[in-house]
Amino acid sequence: MVSRVIPVDPFDLVIFGGTGDLARRKILPGLFRRFCAGQMPEGSQIIGAARSEMDDAEYRRMVSDAVAEFGGGRTCEAGTLEAFLDAVSYVTTDAKGDGGWVELNGKMRDSTVRAFYFSVAPSLFGDLAERLHRFGLATPESRIVVEKPFGHDLESARALNAALAQHFHETQIYRIDHYLGKETVQNLMAVRFGNMLFEPLWNAQYVDHIQITVAETVGVGGRGGYYDKSGAMRDMVQNHLMQLLCLIAMEPPAKFEPDAVRDEKLKVIRALEPVDWHHIVRGQYGADENGPSYREDVEDPKSRTESFIAMKCHISNWRWAGTPFYLRTGKRLKARASEIAVVFKDAPHSIFGADAGRHRNVLAIRLQPNEGMTLDVTIKEPGPGGMRLVDVPLDMSFADALGPDAEEVPDAYERLIMDVIRGNQTLFMRGDEVEAAWAWTDPLIAGWQARNDVPKTYDPGSSGPEDALMLMHRDGRKWREVKA
């Protein structure tokens, strides 16, 4: 199976924050991989823009180093890197001043797609948007890409939306969430809406519960200052896990078009019930021989910010009434893993007797590592001696299904940047979607702040606080094992 590469139109892509960590780790190596794949056409140019003083040659050396370090070992034909670097240039630009904007405008062309990637702090979004128009860089067809965090709460999200709306129409704004660019996340929509097998069962009548887990083995590291002001709720649940929840729970859109898909996601967010305080578990990782505790990492011995959160949610609509959604995410856990598990109900009656045990089907969608899907089905255990039942997985991993071609599957940033150039907003968040997510999140945060809740300490390398296990045990259920 060979991935089909569809070239995009020639483009001018300006990366504000072009010397930053995200540009070096993700954006520039991703663009190079698209260049190697033949998707970036001749005549395209990539322009780095930042405060750092450097010329084109210095910036190209930085890009070359970034590709070598973060390019994933992609091998291309001889001379490919040099050809890619020929399309790269740099302009020293002041986001809050006038320096560099005239020169930057001089590099833009009228005959190509114009895209501007805001790989900078959200506090600069409004300044950049204003200057793009004041210095004549923006056109009615230009696109801007903005990174999370998109606001810190509902009020700040509305302010950011308003600042961008002064200069750009909603159809020009691409709020990026890299989880939506993952191959398996998009395959989730294909599995649901492209197969008659699952959609008739995708409801409260047949689904017992759904688990969404995003586990990390790393701590907050050098992000302690930022993270302690955000926590797992703002950093992960409000955006990444919320988007996964929407794709699992949404109704089938009339068409696979941007607004049709995003309309259905918005309905899910608005149907989320407030979460009872005893259905939320917050935690902080302790110290061990491999690293300091959370409070030591953030240099605040009294911090009450969570590095782990688990919660039980309900969606008030006909499809999901009574079906719980269990969400959890945390740092310094036992494995790096992201998974969605749709756990179906037991058979209403077992003809095999009590000795056969309880068995149920589980559809598990693995986002990382080893992207793929498994469907647990019940079969007879081989051998004589009666009817003994056992659960076995029907397993599809991309590495097995695609073979060597699996290495050529674009990563999330590659796919999403190409969608920006195409003008396809399907996998990007809309402004009202972001605000609705904050409107649900803010009261939960305000609640534990008012109660002065203290996060539970958990051991690094574990699955989180014991209270998170009890959240499921009280309902007669259990979390799936966190494993790579």
Side-chain angles (χ1 to χ4, degrees), residues 149-390:
F150 199 83
H152 186 74
D153 52 20
L154 178 58
E155 182 181 359
S156 58
R158 283 174 171 164
L160 279 176
N161 278 336
L164 295 178
Q166 289 181 357
H167 306 287
F168 291 93
H169 190 271
E170 181 63 36
T171 57
Q172 298 176 275
I173 303 171
Y174 291 71
R175 298 171 187 83
I176 193 167
D177 184 335
H178 71 274
Y179 263 63
L180 295 185
K182 290 181 178 293
E183 189 72 27
T184 320
V185 173
Q186 295 173 72
N187 249 320
L188 170 59
M189 288 188 280
V191 166
R192 279 198 61 187
F193 305 131
N195 295 282
M196 189 62 185
L197 174 64
F198 290 112
E199 188 57 23
L201 309 179
W202 211 269
N203 55 60
Q205 182 178 354
Y206 297 102
V207 175
D208 179 77
H209 72 280
I210 292 171
Q211 300 181 26
I212 302 177
T213 297
V214 177
E216 300 177 86
T217 56
V218 298
V220 298
R223 300 173 66 224
Y226 157 76
Y227 194 92
D228 202 45
K229 294 181 176 64
S230 299
M233 186 67 170
R234 289 186 174 102
D235 189 56
M236 293 295 294
V237 176
Q238 185 273 338
N239 41 75
H240 296 328
L241 272 70
M242 179 73 72
Q243 290 299 309
L244 299 180
L245 172 64
C246 287
L247 292 178
I248 280 284
M250 63 189 264
E251 295 295 322
K255 295 181 179 180
F256 189 61
E257 293 179 348
D259 278 334
V261 171
R262 297 189 293 180
D263 285 345
E264 297 303 334
K265 288 164 58 185
L266 179 61
K267 292 176 186 177
V268 173
I269 299 173
R270 289 177 172 169
L272 276 169
E273 295 181 3
V275 181
D276 292 336
W277 67 268
H278 59 282
H279 289 161
I280 300 174
V281 177
R282 299 165 64 239
Q284 290 178 343
Y285 57 81
D288 66 358
E289 65 277 7
N290 297 316
S293 69
Y294 174 82
R295 290 183 173 183
E296 291 169 327
D297 272 340
V298 301
E299 299 179 349
D300 182 355
K302 297 182 179 180
S303 173
R304 297 194 173 186
T305 302
E306 73 284 353
S307 64
F308 173 97
I309 190 167
M311 63 177 65
K312 175 184 175 182
C313 308
H314 283 92
I315 298 173
S316 294
N317 61 22
W318 278 37
R319 181 183 288 267
W320 295 116
T323 299
F325 289 72
Y326 297 94
L327 314 181
R328 65 173 169 171
T329 182
K331 294 186 175 295
R332 295 291 304 275
L333 299 181
K334 65 189 298 184
R336 174 178 174 266
S338 297
E339 180 189 78
I340 303 167
V342 181
V343 183
F344 292 90
K345 292 182 177 180
D346 295 338
H349 171 69
S350 174
I351 67 173
F352 303 110
D355 292 342
R358 294 178 60 193
H359 299 271
R360 55 179 41 171
N361 304 118
V362 179
L363 176 64
I365 300 103
R366 298 187 306 274
L367 308 181
Q368 64 184 21
N370 190 25
E371 294 187 7
M373 300 185 187
T374 60
L375 175 62
D376 290 349
V377 297
T378 302
I379 65 168
K380 176 188 176 295
E381 183 177 342
M387 182 65 74
R388 298 184 304 276
L389 303 184
V390 63

Side-chain angles (χ1 to χ4, degrees), residues 68-82:
E69 185 174 358
F70 303 111
R74 177 66 58 87
T75 57
C76 300
E77 297 179 3
T80 303
L81 178 58
E82 289 73 18

Side-chain angles (χ1 to χ4, degrees), residues 121-170:
S123 59
L124 297 176
F125 288 176
D127 296 309
L128 291 175
E130 186 273 331
R131 282 163 177 76
L132 286 174
H133 275 270
R134 176 149 59 92
F135 288 94
L137 283 80
T139 66
E141 291 76 34
S142 295
R143 296 116 200 214
I144 60 171
V145 185
V146 293
E147 276 280 348
K148 84 174 188 81
F150 199 83
H152 186 74
D153 52 20
L154 178 58
E155 182 181 359
S156 58
R158 283 174 171 164
L160 279 176
N161 278 336
L164 295 178
Q166 289 181 357
H167 306 287
F168 291 93
H169 190 271
E170 181 63 36

